[in-house]
Amino acid sequence: MLKKILLACLLFVMPAAAHSEKKLAVVDSKFDRVEIVLRNMELEFDLIRQKDLEDPVTFTRYRAVYFPCGIDEPIEQKLSVLAQRASIKSVALKPDYYEPDRKKISSNIKQFIEDGGSAYFSDYSYEYLQEAFDIFRFFDDFPYMGMTGRIEARVMGDMPRFSLKSKMAFYFTHPGWIAVKSAGDSEILSEGEFDTPRGRKKGPISVIIKRGRGEAIYTSYHSTVYSEFRRFNICRIAGRFLITRAENLAKKWGQDITARIADSITEGETHRIHYLPVRKGNNSIYLVSENYPHQIDVFDARMSLIESRDERKKSSLLDFSSDDDYCYVKIYPSSSKRFGMYAIVSASGSRLFPYLYRIIFGIGAAVITGGIVWFIIFSPGRRKYRGRFHLKK
């Protein structure tokens, strides 16, 4: 019994392991070309087919999967048309015709995310996320309500910390984009007002959802190939395993996490800059790199240097106090080998003793369990029998 109690306490104290550092995958699509951005960041990925998604083994190979708008093959590409001059003689399905098993694919997606995977969905690929988790509600129960035009969107959560912007302009170039009324149990990353055939509406443009040990980003907007908005979405999914690793470092000390950022310095950039929230008392910034070390500088709200760290290793920790509500961090590549993801997690609270709260909770659980066992064994009301039992005839 004692061994079982100690084992339970040990499992409680130990941090959860991060999702394994596997590769990225992009489902081949017609509209949203995510692979262009990944190549620009020199992030390796596999281009997979929609049919591959029906096999659950496919998902075990990747830490993150991108489901861009247009992964479903248009109906006209599935047909073989025989025509003579202006008249059509016959229409038939092509020999390699394929109809995706949506329920099977969505079930695999659900399991992948809940097991710790990361996923990106844009516009028309919403169907797979909806089938998996049923989170979206639409105006008049009709998804395809969005019309062309410019939207002044408000950005929230970690997105303004990543981009240094509180508003962004979105230019929708095609009608019928997915207009979301609400997304249940999710965090809104951007929202705005937009035109629909039923008048002016307001709703989220992009959201992030967390299910099980994983998370997914959905965005209705994907028209701009290179933008801070698009970069945030793609990097957040690609670098989530690094965020998890940095989060575990903060949780080790029982700190409150205040921001999460994943990014990558691309060719032609000398540095990246983000801003992070600051609270009264001790604040910590955890930097974790995928391939190569980075230098990190922390500035106050007036851009006065607080601390600089270049430790020539893949992880760094900076502790500081500030009277401001926020600070800026600059990330520099420390060598000519600049490509690779990095993650920044900011946290607040004292760092007294590693796993302090987990140890306290573990000891408390052990004491309570021991008390219950003692009560069962040594309860005063428990009857004790000695000798033999004699049955009366």
Side-chain angles (χ1 to χ4, degrees):
M1 175 63 71
L2 181 59
K3 289 183 178 180
K4 291 182 179 179
I5 293 173
L6 292 175
L7 178 60
C9 293
L10 180 62
L11 292 175
F12 187 83
V13 170
M14 289 175 62
H19 194 60
S20 57
E21 300 164 25
K22 303 175 184 178
K23 294 196 297 183
L24 308 175
V26 180
V27 185
D28 193 21
S29 66
K30 186 177 181 181
F31 304 122
D32 183 6
R33 306 314 296 261
V34 171
E35 62 269 26
I36 296 176
V37 181
L38 292 176
R39 289 193 187 103
N40 183 59
M41 293 182 174
E42 297 201 10
L43 299 178
E44 296 182 359
F45 65 93
D46 290 340
L47 194 64
I48 62 178
R49 302 171 302 167
Q50 185 185 31
K51 191 173 183 178
D52 298 330
L53 302 174
E54 293 185 13
D55 185 357
V57 177
T58 299
F59 291 86
T60 65
R61 304 187 184 105
Y62 304 105
R63 70 173 188 259
V65 180
Y66 294 84
F67 301 86
C69 178
I71 64 175
D72 290 314
E73 191 176 274
I75 186 64
E76 63 270 16
Q77 293 186 12
K78 301 177 182 179
L79 301 177
S80 179
V81 180
L82 178 62
Q84 185 176 5
R85 295 184 181 178
S87 40
I88 297 176
K89 297 298 183 181
S90 66
V91 178
L93 292 173
K94 292 181 178 179
D96 58 349
Y97 169 78
Y98 162 69
E99 185 67 28
D101 188 337
R102 294 180 180 275
K103 288 191 175 181
K104 192 171 185 179
I105 293 174
S106 298
S107 176
N108 291 339
I109 290 172
K110 183 175 186 293
Q111 191 66 50
F112 171 69
I113 294 174
E114 289 179 343
D115 287 346
S118 304
Y120 163 98
F121 301 83
S122 64
D123 212 12
Y124 293 160
S125 67
Y126 86 95
E127 293 179 307
Y128 295 96
L129 189 59
Q130 180 73 344
E131 178 74 27
F133 296 109
D134 188 28
I135 64 170
F136 298 119
R137 298 296 176 265
F138 305 102
F139 301 100
D140 298 323
D141 294 325
F142 186 71
Y144 309 95
M145 294 276 279
M147 300 179 68
T148 57
R150 181 182 183 276
I151 295 176
E152 186 80 12
R154 184 167 68 98
V155 296
M156 293 164 282
D158 289 324
M159 190 172 289
R161 299 161 188 162
F162 176 91
S163 64
L164 306 183
K165 298 177 181 178
S166 59
K167 291 184 178 181
M168 293 184 181
F170 298 157
Y171 298 88
F172 285 87
T173 57
H174 68 89
W177 54 269
I178 306 302
V180 177
K181 181 179 181 180
S182 63
D185 193 17
S186 65
E187 178 188 352
I188 297 176
L189 293 173
S190 62
E191 67 176 2
E193 294 185 358
F194 42 83
D195 291 324
T196 74
R198 296 294 181 90
R200 193 81 169 162
K201 304 293 183 181
K202 180 181 179 180
I205 305 298
S206 63
V207 298
I208 187 167
I209 70 165
K210 297 182 180 181
R211 296 294 187 273
R213 294 187 292 113
E215 70 178 24
I217 282 181
Y218 169 78
T219 174
S220 294
Y221 181 66
H222 58 85
S223 296
T224 305
V225 177
Y226 300 107
S227 67
E228 288 294 301
F229 175 82
R230 188 168 176 79
R231 182 170 180 166
F232 171 88
N233 294 332
I234 291 176
C235 286
R236 177 62 178 251
I237 296 305
R240 185 181 175 275
F241 77 106
L242 292 172
I243 290 178
T244 301
R245 191 187 298 173
E247 283 179 328
N248 287 338
L249 294 174
K251 291 175 181 177
K252 170 182 175 180
W253 300 98
Q255 294 179 297
D256 294 328
I257 295 173
T258 56
R260 304 165 177 84
I261 289 173
D263 201 359
S264 176
I265 298 175
T266 62
E267 187 175 3
E269 294 179 334
T270 58
H271 68 277
R272 288 287 289 170
I273 184 168
H274 313 286
Y275 88 83
L276 302 173
V278 173
R279 294 180 183 176
K280 296 292 183 181
N282 184 71
N283 293 272
S284 301
I285 294 178
Y286 299 87
L287 169 66
V288 178
S289 302
E290 179 182 17
N291 296 327
Y292 310 108
H294 290 73
Q295 177 182 329
I296 179 171
D297 291 350
V298 181
F299 299 85
D300 62 18
R302 294 162 296 282
M303 290 302 291
S304 297
L305 183 65
I306 297 177
E307 189 171 352
S308 178
R309 192 67 58 83
D310 184 7
E311 297 180 319
R312 311 302 301 168
K313 58 184 182 180
K314 293 183 182 179
S315 63
S316 297
L317 166 63
L318 290 85
D319 284 323
F320 64 95
S321 297
S322 175
D323 295 329
D324 299 316
D325 295 330
Y326 62 93
C327 68
Y328 293 98
V329 295
K330 280 187 177 182
I331 307 298
Y332 305 85
S334 296
S335 67
S336 58
K337 298 177 179 179
R338 62 175 56 236
F339 297 106
M341 300 293 302
Y342 67 82
I344 301 172
V345 166
S346 61
S348 65
S350 300
R351 296 194 305 112
L352 300 175
F353 191 79
Y355 306 120
L356 176 62
Y357 296 108
R358 294 192 182 198
I359 292 173
I360 292 173
F361 291 148
I363 293 174
V367 170
I368 293 172
T369 304
I372 294 173
V373 172
W374 182 92
F375 181 81
I376 293 173
I377 297 175
F378 301 104
S379 173
R382 179 182 175 87
R383 294 184 62 185
K384 298 181 180 179
Y385 297 93
R386 295 180 181 177
R388 299 178 179 177
F389 289 98
H390 298 280
L391 299 177
K392 293 182 180 181
K393 292 184 179 180

